[in-house]
Amino acid sequence: MSDKQTPLQKWVEEMAQLTEPDQIVWLHGGQEEYDHLVEEALAEDVFEKLNQDHLPGCLLHYSNPNDVARTEHLTFICSKEKEDAGPNNNWMDPGEARAKLTPLFRGSMKGRTMFALPYLMGPSQSPFSQVGCELTDSRYVAVSMCIMTKVGDIALKQIGDSSNFVGGLHSLGDLNPERRYIAHFPEDRQIWSFGSGYGGNALLGKKCHALRIASVQARDEGWMAEHMLILGLERPGHETMYMAAAFPSACGKTNLAMLKNPEFEAQGIRVWTVGDDIAWLRVGEDGRIYAVNPESGFFGVAPGTNYDTNPNAMESINKNSLYTNVAVDPERDPWWEGKTNTPPANLKNWKGDPWNGEGPAAHPNSRFTAPIANCPSKSPEYDQPQGVPISAFLFGGRRARLAPLVYQARDWKHGVFVGASMASETTAAATSAAGVVRRDPMAMLPFCGYNMGDYFAHWLSIGAKMNNPPGIFHVNWFRKDENGKFIWPGYGENIRVLLWIADRMEGKAEAHETPIGYVPEPSQMNLDGLDLSTEAMEDLLTVDEEAWRAEADGMMEFFEKFGDRLPEEIRRQEEALKARLAE
C-alpha cells in the first residue's frame, strides 16, 4: 500500500481502533483463500462437515437459538429527518444511534479476527454494479459473503481511491438480544450491525445494502432497487422474455424464479433463473428498463423445499453450500420439514440435540446458502453487464378468495397502485391468527430505506422515463374453494400463467375488463393436460366486486399513514377503483 491512505483504508483503521481486533485479515478472493477460511471455521467449530460423499463441500452451521431470523423491531433507518424514514420504518436519530452503538462496538473484537470483506454486487464492468466493504468478526459471515457476493480484489479495484462505497460494520458481540441493533445511515451510506449472526442481520451486502441503502441511492440517482426475482421465459420462435416479480415471504418467490416443468420443456418452453430475490433496474437509452441480479448466490428457506416443489433448488444445494439450523441424520445428511414425507430415524434437531418428534426438527426459518453457479436453470444472461430487458412486472400474495389467478393493470400508473396496495393473508403457521391481511407494497415494506410515500412517487417517475413501460400484472397462486382447498396446482404449472402474460405483452391474448383490471378468458390460457374443471377455472378468475369494495377501504386506511407524502396519483387511482366498483 502507498503511504497515503485511501478512504477505505482510513475507514477500516478507524473501525479497528474502535473494535480492537487482535488482527485484521483482508480477503482477496479465490478458491484457496475460501478453503482456508472454511478449514479455520471447522477447527473452531463454527461449521460441521456434512456427508462429503453425498454433498461435497457442504457445511452445517448452528446459530444461537435466540438469533434465528431478521429482527425488524431492532432494525433502524437513521436518516437525519424522521419524516424521511417514514411510518414504514423504525427511525433513530443518527447521532443518537452512534452514541448508543459506539460503546457496544468499543473493544467488541478483542481476542477475535476482523475480516475485511470488500465486495462487488452486480456484474463486473457494469453500470449497475455497486461496491461495499463489510468488517466482521464472524467466520460464518465471511464464508457466506464469499458465496453471496464477489469478494476480494475485484471489488478493491473498483473502489480504488474513491470514497464511493457502502461501509458495513458488524460484530457478533455477545449475541445478547438486549444489545442487538441493525442501524442504517442512508446519507452516509453506512450500516452498523451489532449482536446478531443471522443472515439478514449480519450479511450486510444483502437486505441492508442491496435494498435498504440501495433503495435510497436509487431514488437519488434515478434507478430502482427492488425485492424481486428475475426470470427469463424461453419459447420456440421467440426471443426470451424477461419478467421481474415481487412477493412477500411464503408466497413462492424462489419456486417461481427456478420454475421447472418437464412437460413444457419437452416443447422447448422453459424458465431461466436470473435472480431469486433482489433486482436492480435502470432505464436504458432505448427507453426500456433493464435489470440485474446483484447477488452471486441464493439464501433460501429450507423447509418446504423438495424435488416436487423446487427441483432446481435441490440441485443447487448439493455441493459447496452452507446449511443453517437444519436437522441432520446419522449419515450427516441434512433434513427439514417437507424435504421428505417421513423424517429419517435418529435425527439431531436444529439445536444439535437428539430429536424425539416434539417440535420442529429443522427451524422453520432454517436456510441454505448456495452459489448461483450450481443452479441448473441459471440464465446464460445472468452476468450480462447491461442487464436483461424487463417486459412485465408481477406482484402477488396469498389471498384465499379475493384476487383472481391473474389480472393485468390498466396502465403503468394503475400498475403502481396495484403494487402499492398489494397484501397477503397470514397463515396459521406464521401467526396465531390465520387470514389476517397484511399490506406489503411491492413486497418492500421491511426493506425500503425511506418513506414509502416517496417510494411510490419514485415508481411513478420511473414510468415517465420509459417509452414503452412493461406491463404490470397481479398473480395469486393461493385461491381456495368453498372447502378451503387450493384450486390452482401451482409450482411448475405456474408457467401457464407466465405464457398468458407473454402472449398478452405480444398482443396475442384476449382479456375482459373488470373494475380491478384485465382478466383472461379461460380459453386464452394453455390448460392442455391440466386436470382442472371448467367450474374451477371460472372460480379462479372471478372478481367478487363486493369483496373488492371492502378491500378498497382497507387500502386507503393503509395509505393514510403516509399523509402528505402519498402521491396524489395514488389517491386518484383509489378513487377511480371505487368508482368502477360502484358502477
Side-chain angles (χ1 to χ4, degrees), residues 128-371:
F128 289 84
S129 64
Q130 302 287 328
V131 283
C133 184
E134 176 166 2
L135 308 179
T136 181
D137 54 12
S138 165
R139 294 184 187 276
Y140 169 80
V141 168
V143 170
S144 298
M145 284 290 288
C146 288
I147 297 173
M148 294 301 300
T149 67
K150 300 177 177 72
V151 165
D153 290 344
I154 189 172
L156 279 174
K157 183 178 179 182
Q158 182 155 326
I159 297 172
D161 294 336
S162 168
S163 60
N164 186 23
F165 64 90
V166 172
L169 176 62
H170 169 254
S171 177
L172 293 169
D174 58 3
L175 294 176
N176 186 335
E178 300 299 317
R179 294 190 289 275
R180 182 172 293 162
Y181 296 95
I182 301 91
H184 305 72
F185 303 89
E187 286 97 352
D188 297 331
R189 306 284 195 255
Q190 286 200 14
I191 308 150
W192 283 19
S193 174
F194 187 88
S196 172
Y198 171 77
N201 302 329
L203 309 186
L204 302 187
K206 196 164 176 58
K207 307 295 192 187
C208 296
H209 176 174
L211 287 178
R212 295 192 188 101
I213 296 294
S215 63
V216 175
Q217 192 174 355
R219 176 202 63 190
D220 295 345
E221 299 175 2
W223 49 284
M224 303 169 79
E226 299 297 328
H227 187 212
M228 287 182 164
L229 67 86
I230 311 166
L231 63 81
L233 179 64
E234 179 183 324
R235 298 163 295 156
H238 298 261
E239 287 189 4
T240 299
M241 181 179 288
Y242 295 94
M243 305 178 188
F247 303 100
S249 61
C251 290
K253 189 178 177 191
T254 299
N255 292 342
L256 185 64
M258 300 184 187
L259 185 151
K260 184 176 180 65
N261 186 308
E263 176 188 342
F264 280 86
E265 287 186 12
Q267 305 170 40
I269 301 169
R270 65 171 297 167
V271 164
W272 292 102
T273 307
V274 181
D276 79 318
D277 193 41
I278 298 174
W280 288 348
L281 304 108
R282 292 178 184 267
V283 178
E285 293 180 0
D286 60 357
R288 300 181 72 187
I289 194 162
Y290 291 79
V292 299
N293 169 16
E295 300 186 293
S296 300
F298 305 122
F299 182 66
V301 176
T305 304
N306 57 53
Y307 273 99
D308 290 328
T309 61
N310 197 333
N312 282 325
M314 293 298 290
E315 291 295 321
S316 298
I317 59 178
N318 61 14
K319 63 180 179 180
N320 302 324
S321 297
L322 174 57
Y323 295 80
T324 305
N325 295 337
V326 297
V328 64
D329 69 17
E331 297 294 315
R332 306 294 302 161
D333 284 325
W335 190 86
W336 50 82
E337 279 70 12
K339 183 181 181 184
T340 57
N341 291 331
T342 304
N346 301 315
L347 281 172
K348 284 189 175 180
N349 68 13
W350 65 275
K351 297 180 181 180
D353 300 324
W355 185 59
N356 59 9
E358 294 183 7
H363 190 275
N365 195 40
S366 55
R367 294 280 175 159
F368 56 77
T369 310

Side-chain angles (χ1 to χ4, degrees), residues 19 46 69 115 182 226 348 420 433 473 488 525 559 572:
T19 57
V46 174
F115 295 98
I182 301 91
E226 299 297 328
K348 284 189 175 180
F473 298 80
W488 183 249
M525 296 188 67
F559 287 139
R572 280 195 290 267

Side-chain angles (χ1 to χ4, degrees), residues 5 11 27 32 34 47 73 81 96-97 116 149 189 286 295 331 335 422 426 497 512 514 581-582:
Q5 285 188 318
W11 174 74
L27 295 197
E32 184 177 343
Y34 176 86
F47 298 133
H73 66 292
E81 300 295 332
E96 178 189 348
T149 67
R189 306 284 195 255
D286 60 357
E295 300 186 293
E331 297 294 315
W335 190 86
M422 67 185 266
T426 56
V497 174
H512 64 275
T514 74
L581 288 166

Side-chain angles (χ1 to χ4, degrees), residues 13-90:
E13 184 175 296
E14 289 174 357
M15 295 303 98
Q17 288 174 355
L18 172 64
T19 57
E20 302 179 42
D22 284 7
Q23 62 174 336
I24 302 173
V25 173
W26 286 82
L27 295 197
H28 294 276
Q31 189 64 44
E32 184 177 343
E33 180 181 77
Y34 176 86
D35 292 342
H36 179 68
L37 199 60
V38 166
E39 287 302 319
E40 288 186 329
L42 286 166
E44 295 184 9
D45 296 325
V46 174
F47 298 133
E48 298 177 9
K49 283 187 177 181
L50 290 169
N51 189 315
Q52 297 300 293
D53 292 331
H54 300 169
L55 301 166
C58 289
L59 306 165
L60 172 64
H61 173 74
Y62 296 120
S63 68
N64 189 298
N66 75 24
D67 187 31
V68 292
R70 280 186 289 108
T71 50
E72 297 300 340
H73 66 292
L74 299 175
T75 300
F76 295 89
I77 299 298
C78 305
S79 53
K80 294 175 182 175
E81 300 295 332
K82 184 176 182 179
E83 274 298 301
D84 290 341
N88 47 293
N89 284 305
N90 301 315

